[in-house]
Amino acid sequence: MPPATVGFLRTFIPRVSFVPPPPRRVMASASGRLPESMAIRPPSHPTYDLRRIIKLALAEDAGDKGDVTSMATIPSEERVEAHFLAKEDGIVAGLALAEMIFDEVDPSLKVEWYVRDGDPVHKGLKFGKVYGLAYSVVVAERVVLNFMQRMSGIATITKAMADAAKPACILETRKTAPCLRLVDKWAVLIGGGKNHRMGLFDMVLIKDNHISTAGGVTNALNFVDTHIREKKLNMEVEVETRTLEEVNEVLKYADEAETSLTRIMLDNMVVPLSNGDVDTSMLQEAVKLIDGKFETEASGNVTMDTIHKIGQTGVTYISSGALTHSVKALDISLKIDAELALEVGRRTKRA
């Protein structure tokens, strides 16, 4: 069996959630130590096992027979050097994760980067290389690129929206790919955004369905405050509001009761206009009513065309599900014959 198959055909062993060690050096090796390419650490999660996700991705590709094409065409001891090429401009992300994947396939592979997670890359740029057994490189290639392209796409749009949103901060939501929650949210951090709640467990977020079921905003807030006191929970609490009347109801409750509320979501208070612009007057009025008593979060009708105007209203945060649910992957390739790949890229206007 080729050495590269060993790493991901091992039996899956349950383990505690993966918490990487501090960055140590530029190149990854069989030691498992993570490189300086981990410029930004992944968000924490109490049960998420990043290495298990890597194993699942590799096993999905390998199936029950492994890479039959590479077994047939690549000599087992052949060694190569393959280069990462950017085929369009963007923000690169997933370098540290790529090294973890290579290490899982074959710990003898060596990876070197010329950039770090979060750096800009341009079309035609060689920004890293991996060298070692050819079989191992080719087996890992597609899984590495799938993660990197998705993460880089998320980081690229996040960077653009984060810059446009200032002085507000851009957040993602829970609208992530199933089983890739931590990976998607890591890419948002790499792109310069901030993370909203990781899941249902780390923040109370009272949304419209909770309010409807509880019998109104006041009841929902009261139930949450009672639950937090009884369970001795220590976490942020946010409530969604859809009208100025609901904002006033929240503020009235907060004036009259001891509450754990920390943030008010102002949902769909940005109104699209027929000329393509947006009316933010309702959002501005809500921010004025809250008057700094709580953090504020604008959501709904957030696009690259509208986010700058929303950011000027005084809201603390702007959340956008589009950062992760509508991601356009950044085009990246990994080529053993990099010069031929660049020649073809220039011919097709992709390098």
Side-chain angles (χ1 to χ4, degrees):
M1 179 182 294
T5 64
V6 175
F8 62 90
L9 291 180
R10 289 176 292 193
T11 303
F12 291 161
I13 301 174
R15 66 177 78 182
V16 297
S17 55
F18 171 72
V19 179
R24 297 186 183 182
R25 58 182 187 146
V26 174
M27 299 179 68
S29 70
S31 67
R33 290 182 294 179
L34 292 172
E36 290 181 1
S37 59
M38 186 174 280
I40 298 172
R41 295 168 65 84
S44 62
H45 190 292
T47 61
Y48 196 97
D49 186 347
L50 190 53
R51 289 199 182 275
R52 185 173 178 85
I53 295 299
I54 291 170
K55 288 174 181 285
L56 286 169
L58 290 166
E60 174 186 59
D61 219 17
D64 61 349
K65 293 182 175 63
D67 185 351
V68 294
T69 310
S70 293
M71 289 178 186
T73 61
I74 298 176
S76 61
E77 299 304 316
E78 181 77 12
R79 305 183 74 83
V80 295
E81 180 175 282
H83 294 264
F84 286 92
L85 303 175
K87 299 169 81 172
E88 59 183 320
D89 299 349
I91 302 298
V92 72
L95 307 187
L97 182 55
E99 294 193 20
M100 293 171 64
I101 297 167
F102 283 125
D103 186 68
E104 185 65 39
V105 170
D106 180 354
S108 72
L109 291 174
K110 300 292 188 292
V111 186
E112 184 176 352
W113 304 109
Y114 317 134
V115 296
R116 301 179 76 186
D117 273 327
D119 282 353
V121 294
H122 60 80
K123 184 168 67 173
L125 178 70
K126 292 183 188 178
F127 63 87
K129 65 182 178 181
V130 56
Y131 45 98
L133 289 173
Y135 182 92
S136 301
V137 171
V138 175
V139 165
E141 173 194 359
R142 179 41 52 194
V143 173
V144 165
L145 291 176
N146 283 350
F147 277 111
M148 287 184 65
Q149 288 179 307
R150 179 176 176 84
M151 290 184 71
S152 297
I154 292 171
T156 298
I157 186 61
T158 299
K159 171 63 173 172
M161 294 191 85
D163 288 347
K166 292 177 181 176
C169 298
I170 187 70
L171 307 171
E172 86 295 84
T173 68
R174 285 168 50 237
K175 297 175 183 177
T176 54
C179 298
L180 294 183
R181 175 72 55 82
L182 186 141
V183 173
D184 283 0
K185 285 178 173 282
W186 189 5
V188 168
L189 293 179
I190 291 170
K194 294 189 175 181
N195 289 153
H196 211 303
R197 59 177 179 162
M198 178 59 67
L200 299 174
F201 60 90
D202 58 333
M203 179 185 190
V204 174
L205 177 44
I206 309 168
K207 293 183 66 67
D208 51 0
N209 285 335
H210 303 111
I211 292 168
S212 297
T213 305
V217 170
T218 298
N219 282 349
L221 283 166
N222 184 45
F223 293 156
V224 164
D225 283 329
T226 300
H227 182 77
I228 283 180
R229 284 194 299 271
E230 290 178 350
K231 300 298 183 181
K232 296 181 172 58
L233 299 176
N234 180 23
M235 60 179 59
E236 293 184 358
V237 176
E238 181 175 11
V239 62
E240 177 183 333
T241 60
R242 297 155 291 181
T243 65
L244 295 179
E245 289 75 21
E246 286 186 335
V247 172
N248 278 314
E249 186 177 351
V250 170
L251 294 174
K252 182 175 184 295
Y253 173 85
D255 284 341
E256 297 174 353
E258 183 178 342
T259 181
S260 300
L261 183 67
T262 54
R263 187 185 307 174
I264 300 176
M265 179 186 292
L266 308 170
D267 189 46
N268 286 312
M269 295 190 186
V270 175
V271 181
L273 301 175
S274 58
N275 64 359
D277 199 1
V278 287
D279 179 3
T280 60
S281 58
M282 183 180 180
L283 181 61
Q284 289 175 300
E285 179 62 22
V287 171
K288 184 177 178 182
L289 286 170
I290 296 165
D291 193 28
K293 296 183 182 71
F294 301 98
E295 294 177 340
T296 52
E297 177 187 332
S299 67
N301 291 312
V302 178
T303 68
M304 273 305 305
D305 294 329
T306 64
I307 193 168
H308 179 71
K309 192 169 184 178
I310 296 170
Q312 303 307 302
T313 62
V315 293
T316 317
Y317 299 106
I318 303 171
S319 57
S320 172
L323 293 181
T324 54
H325 73 56
S326 300
V327 59
K328 176 186 177 296
L330 191 73
D331 199 357
I332 296 169
S333 63
L334 178 63
K335 297 297 183 183
I336 294 172
D337 191 339
E339 294 310 313
L340 177 58
L342 285 170
E343 180 184 330
V344 173
R346 285 188 287 269
R347 185 176 71 228
T348 58
K349 311 299 184 189
R350 297 173 70 193

